[in-house]
Amino acid sequence: MKTENNFWAAQGAMATFVLLWGSAAIVTRWGLDHGSVLALLILRFALALGVLLLIRGGRLLPPRGQRLPVAGVGLLLIGFYTLCYFLALEYEVTPGLLATVLGAQPILTLVLTERRFSPWRLAGLLLALLGLTLVVYQSLVLARLSWTGMAFALGALLCVTVGALWQKRIALPPSEVLPLQYAVTLVLCALLIPFQPFHWQWSVGFLVPVVWMGLGVSVAAQLLLYRMIRSGNLVNVTSLFYLVPVVTVVLDYLVFGNALSVMSLAGMIAILAGLAVVHGRRERVPTE
């Protein structure tokens, strides 16, 4: 019974994470109509840091000996990844092309972490990546090849891949890790204020996205992500990001009324089939 309960708890955590993370694109798009990227990021991270400090009783720093690695992971996995992500979009890389580039992360993680992996695992990831391409196909068609934008997209891929691998090695609970990581990310963002637009409107259209991104994504979803990274197979965890565009497309349909194309539906089916193969084979794969 305990094993069954753990299974359903894990499934619930994964579903909650995907729903929260998938909502980020819709909510961010709403917020950016009322403020700049840097303002949204700084207020979002500041809110998340404040809540995490309340949870930890005001303690910012992890134990001695862990502070430098924790800060380094924060800069990579949160700070530089987020900046590279938004800068790629700013330099005309479409969201679909960026999602496709980042879709290589689970495949890279598989190659880097599993000395001998089942061909089925790789096939499942490739099928999910194909499905992702179908979901974002319209954005890919509109894509312009910007070498600067692609450099930032590849930078985002590098940051999220290396950052996740590094985070896997940190044995501390997520609540002890995230406060320092958001603190160093806030410092990084603050250094950019003289060079980037920094403004917002005191309106529901900005405050609701800040609260949702700060609490729902940067606290709840990030804690779930770190717990899954800590306790689960890293390839399985990163493969969940294939589901994020699916949630975004469905929310786009439900919230904004944008129609779901046949190609998008086919892509969703391919993603689900690919992930079923990946997660179904996890116990048969020897890891390093």
Side-chain angles (χ1 to χ4, degrees):
M1 179 65 69
K2 184 177 180 180
T3 301
E4 184 177 349
N5 290 339
N6 289 340
F7 171 80
W8 286 112
Q11 299 304 306
M14 287 190 292
T16 302
F17 165 74
V18 170
L19 287 172
L20 288 172
W21 209 269
S23 70
I26 300 295
V27 177
T28 297
R29 187 172 72 180
W30 184 22
L32 291 178
D33 290 336
H34 305 275
S36 66
V37 168
L38 199 57
L40 181 59
L41 289 178
I42 287 179
L43 294 178
R44 161 192 172 181
F45 292 145
L47 176 61
L49 175 59
V51 171
L52 288 166
L53 287 176
L54 286 175
I55 293 173
R56 294 203 67 216
R59 289 174 295 162
L60 172 66
L61 299 176
R64 294 182 182 275
Q66 295 284 345
R67 294 171 185 175
L68 187 58
V70 166
V73 172
L75 285 174
L76 271 180
L77 194 54
I78 301 174
F80 287 117
Y81 164 72
T82 303
L83 289 174
C84 285
Y85 186 97
F86 280 107
L87 285 170
L89 294 175
E90 184 176 333
Y91 281 92
E92 298 185 342
V93 174
T94 61
L97 179 56
L98 183 54
T100 304
V101 171
L102 294 175
Q105 185 200 357
I107 298 172
L108 287 176
T109 304
L110 178 69
V111 173
L112 292 172
T113 61
E114 299 185 2
R115 181 177 301 174
R116 292 176 297 160
F117 54 83
S118 164
W120 284 103
R121 294 263 283 173
L122 180 59
L125 291 175
L126 291 173
L127 179 59
L129 181 58
L130 173 62
L132 170 64
T133 304
L134 293 176
V135 170
V136 301
Y137 177 76
Q138 292 299 324
S139 186
L140 288 176
V141 170
L142 298 174
R144 296 180 180 179
L145 186 59
S146 163
W147 294 110
T148 303
M150 285 303 298
F152 282 121
L154 292 173
L157 174 62
L158 179 64
C159 288
V160 73
T161 302
V162 175
L165 291 172
W166 199 356
Q167 177 63 33
K168 179 70 173 177
R169 297 174 179 269
I170 295 176
L172 297 173
S175 60
E176 292 188 27
V177 167
L178 279 172
L180 179 58
Q181 292 187 343
Y182 281 131
V184 297
T185 298
L186 273 171
V187 172
L188 177 63
C189 290
L191 292 174
L192 295 176
I193 290 178
F195 310 102
Q196 294 289 327
F198 185 78
H199 61 85
W200 71 86
Q201 302 170 2
W202 287 104
S203 64
V204 172
F206 185 77
L207 295 179
V208 170
V210 166
V211 172
W212 181 263
M213 295 298 294
L215 300 182
V217 178
S218 291
V219 175
Q222 198 79 26
L223 284 172
L224 287 171
L225 174 62
Y226 276 21
R227 285 173 183 167
M228 290 188 293
I229 288 176
R230 186 184 180 197
S231 61
N233 179 283
L234 193 55
V235 174
N236 291 344
V237 173
T238 56
S239 69
L240 293 176
F241 285 99
Y242 287 130
L243 290 172
V244 171
V246 174
V247 174
T248 303
V249 168
V250 172
L251 288 176
D252 196 33
Y253 168 72
L254 294 175
V255 175
F256 296 105
N258 293 324
L260 291 170
S261 67
V262 174
M263 190 172 294
S264 294
L265 292 173
M268 293 178 190
I269 294 172
I271 289 173
L272 294 174
L275 293 185
V277 173
V278 172
H279 287 254
R281 295 274 169 172
R282 65 185 182 278
E283 299 298 335
R284 303 181 186 183
V285 182
T287 58
E288 192 171 1

